[in-house]
Amino acid sequence: MKRFIAMCTAIMLIAIMVTACGSKKETESSPSASQPNASETAASSGAAKKDITLTYIASQDWIKDAEMELAKKFEEQTGIHIDYQIIPSDQYFNVLKTKLNSGEGPDLFGGQSGKSEISLNYNAEKNAVDLSDQEWVKREDPLSIDQLSLNGKVYAQTIWDTSNSYVLVYNKKIFAEQGINVPTTYAEFKEAALKIQKAGITPIYEPVADGWHHVLWFAEPGPQYDKLQPNLYNDLNANKVNFETSAPMAASLTQLKELYDLGLFGDNTLSDTFADTANQMATGKYAMSVMTQDLPQQIEKINPELKATEFGFFVIPLADNQFYYVNPGGPSKFVYSGGKHIEEAKQYLSFLAEPENLQYLMDNTATFSNLNFTGLKDKYTDEQKKLHETYPVKGTDIQDYVNYVNPQWMDMGKDIVGMFGGAAKPVDVLKSIDKRRSDMAKIAKDEGWNK
């Protein structure tokens, strides 16, 4: 009993001391194994708390719940509050450009990585702070860092599962019931989808409404185009060839149009949304969807009768692709050069990149199986391991290798919708991509376009 009273007295004294030393604004915290491990070092949290709010705007789906939990812990340590302002993906870039062009950017802003993207869409050399001297740069994947760099300077931080490519997630039970093997060519894929459709199941859940997802079908198999048309990637970057004359890319778009015309995406594909993917796949009414490799876990959480182990993966087989395409980039965090709290924004990025916080972010984000930093413990499933074993040959997707592609992603999405509706042919989509690439290259004074 005395020991218990002594313990209580000690706890009360500690509580009084914390209250006396605390900042004007504190957030309650009850540490547990499921919460982020708070760093006590002055290097990451600062020696004294500050009463500051950092405004951070980002597109929908870029900020995970686990990051928001980490932001609370950061505020507890530093007194610095993160005000997240999430904007719908189809409006985000217009909103961001307006803010940057007006000189009224937020303290932190989100953006996709990629050299042409950060140069043309964000004018990073003017609008973003050079982060080259930050400690975490040495621990981030060099391929990711390269996509954030211009003229030797690093302008953003990417914390993302860059190994978690968008692949076709398929219901193994449906495939088995229909006697279907994983397809390795487009012809096999179409045949399988038609067989599934005949059985009264919608073959593919494809959410077109968001404006970006359906572009993945064309962009991800890029390494296959480069194989079929040798040196295509480098020739495109040097302006020696263009999209319009590329037979592999024309074939891929033609096949994508055929999938749509055959009704293999279902009756509501133009109104279907990305956010509803797991819910729809959990109904069992769809056999496949192009999605990240965490989808099976999401499905099981929604419908426990459908186990995550009942789903497998294969790559998008347009143009007979069998490459496992990788994307070293992803949604990234920039510190606005005109912000009033640049050092505090840097401090937040350093906090997020602490190993224990990265591990927390990964462990508590269903869509992450790994992160692009060294020293972390991945959580690959057996099916993911099988995926990597099945496709040992890897290549970079087209938007992360070929210049002036990623910045026009949403425009490409509109062009492809036009193609679906019959307003454009595959060659017209390719011509539009060429036109926008040329316009961007000339603005960037690219030597290949200014000879």
Side-chain angles (χ1 to χ4, degrees):
M1 184 69 179
K2 290 181 180 180
R3 186 176 180 183
F4 175 77
I5 294 172
M7 288 174 62
C8 292
T9 303
I11 292 170
M12 291 175 63
L13 287 171
I14 291 170
I16 294 169
M17 291 171 66
V18 170
T19 304
C21 299
S23 65
K24 294 181 181 178
K25 182 177 182 180
E26 295 187 6
T27 304
E28 290 184 2
S29 170
S30 79
S32 69
S34 64
Q35 288 186 321
N37 181 13
S39 169
E40 299 298 333
T41 63
S44 66
S45 61
K49 292 188 177 183
K50 306 174 183 179
D51 188 9
I52 289 173
T53 293
L54 298 179
T55 302
Y56 177 22
I57 68 168
S59 181
Q60 193 173 0
D61 301 319
W62 286 0
I63 306 299
K64 306 301 181 182
D65 290 344
E67 181 179 330
M68 293 187 176
E69 289 301 314
L70 286 170
K72 293 177 183 177
K73 181 62 64 176
F74 179 70
E75 183 175 358
E76 290 175 11
Q77 292 182 7
T78 66
I80 301 170
H81 175 69
I82 309 298
D83 176 21
Y84 288 105
Q85 298 182 6
I86 309 302
I87 298 170
S89 54
D90 60 344
Q91 302 172 28
Y92 179 68
F93 289 108
N94 287 334
V95 172
L96 176 60
K97 285 181 179 179
T98 298
K99 288 181 176 293
L100 295 179
N101 291 338
S102 67
E104 298 180 354
D107 297 293
L108 292 152
F109 64 89
Q112 288 286 356
S113 62
K115 288 183 180 295
S116 57
E117 181 87 9
I118 69 174
S119 174
L120 296 171
N121 270 0
Y122 317 128
N123 193 2
E125 290 180 301
K126 174 186 175 183
N127 292 318
V129 172
D130 178 9
L131 302 172
S132 305
D133 63 349
Q134 299 298 289
E135 178 275 333
W136 51 261
V137 171
K138 298 175 183 177
R139 292 183 285 110
E140 188 171 333
D141 179 5
L143 292 177
S144 295
I145 289 294
D146 184 59
Q147 295 298 319
L148 301 167
S149 303
L150 296 172
N151 296 317
K153 296 181 179 180
V154 181
Y155 286 101
Q157 177 191 76
T158 303
I159 299 179
W160 206 251
D161 186 351
T162 56
S163 69
N164 193 1
S165 298
Y166 280 90
V167 293
L168 277 152
V169 181
Y170 73 99
N171 187 312
K172 292 192 289 186
K173 183 178 180 181
I174 292 175
F175 270 49
E177 289 174 346
Q178 301 304 317
I180 298 171
N181 296 320
V182 171
T184 59
T185 66
Y186 171 71
E188 292 176 358
F189 179 67
K190 183 177 75 169
E191 181 182 359
L194 287 171
K195 194 171 184 179
I196 292 168
Q197 185 184 54
K198 189 175 181 180
I201 301 168
T202 303
I204 305 161
Y205 181 78
E206 175 47 50
V208 176
D210 298 274
W212 63 270
H213 185 273
H214 52 292
V215 183
L216 293 166
W217 287 86
F218 170 68
E220 299 301 274
Q224 175 70 353
Y225 311 151
D226 192 56
K227 174 187 175 183
L228 296 174
Q229 187 176 339
N231 210 47
L232 173 64
Y233 275 9
N234 290 329
D235 285 345
L236 284 169
N237 281 339
N239 196 27
K240 293 180 179 179
V241 298
N242 56 27
F243 278 65
E244 179 187 351
T245 58
S246 174
M249 288 195 281
S252 180
L253 283 174
T254 300
Q255 292 166 358
L256 179 59
K257 175 70 158 62
E258 184 177 33
L259 296 177
Y260 176 84
D261 288 344
L262 290 171
L264 301 179
F265 295 153
D267 297 331
N268 302 311
T269 185
L270 296 179
S271 58
D272 285 335
T273 63
F274 177 73
D276 205 31
T277 302
N279 288 323
Q280 292 299 326
M281 288 293 290
T283 66
K285 296 179 181 179
Y286 293 87
M288 297 174 271
S289 185
V290 172
M291 184 58 174
T292 49
Q293 296 147 41
D294 60 285
L295 180 59
Q297 286 75 23
Q298 295 182 51
I299 292 171
E300 181 177 338
K301 187 175 182 180
I302 295 168
N303 180 5
E305 294 183 4
L306 278 177
K307 303 301 181 184
T309 53
E310 295 179 39
F311 293 85
F313 311 108
F314 61 93
V315 298
I316 296 172
L318 297 191
D320 297 340
N321 173 60
Q322 288 297 284
F323 278 91
Y324 182 78
Y325 33 79
V326 295
N327 182 339
S332 306
K333 307 173 193 302
F334 298 76
V335 177
Y336 177 51
S337 59
K340 297 179 180 179
H341 307 297
I342 289 175
E343 292 306 314
E344 288 79 6
K346 286 183 180 180
Q347 189 177 343
Y348 180 57
L349 298 189
S350 294
F351 170 83
L352 290 178
E354 291 178 10
E356 62 269 31
N357 292 333
L358 290 171
Q359 191 69 52
Y360 174 84
L361 182 60
M362 180 172 64
D363 291 344
N364 292 277
T365 303
T367 55
F368 292 160
S369 297
N370 203 356
L371 288 176
N372 56 329
F373 280 78
T374 59
L376 303 178
K377 183 179 179 181
D378 69 61
K379 52 179 184 178
Y380 290 130
T381 65
D382 289 342
E383 283 296 332
Q384 284 178 292
K385 293 175 182 176
K386 181 180 177 181
L387 175 69
H388 291 290
E389 292 169 359
T390 302
Y391 303 100
V393 182
K394 297 176 173 60
T396 304
D397 52 28
I398 197 167
Q399 68 270 24
D400 282 291
Y401 195 109
V402 178
N403 295 332
Y404 317 118
V405 174
N406 205 44
Q408 55 170 300
W409 191 276
M410 298 298 284
D411 291 317
M412 291 163 62
K414 294 175 184 177
D415 292 339
I416 293 173
V417 169
M419 180 186 74
F420 287 161
K425 298 179 179 179
V427 68
D428 297 321
V429 175
L430 297 176
K431 285 180 179 180
S432 294
I433 295 172
D434 283 331
K435 175 62 168 60
R436 287 188 292 265
R437 288 190 74 231
S438 178
D439 291 344
M440 286 186 277
K442 289 175 181 177
I443 292 172
K445 297 182 180 179
D446 192 307
E447 293 182 1
W449 278 261
N450 290 280
K451 295 179 180 177

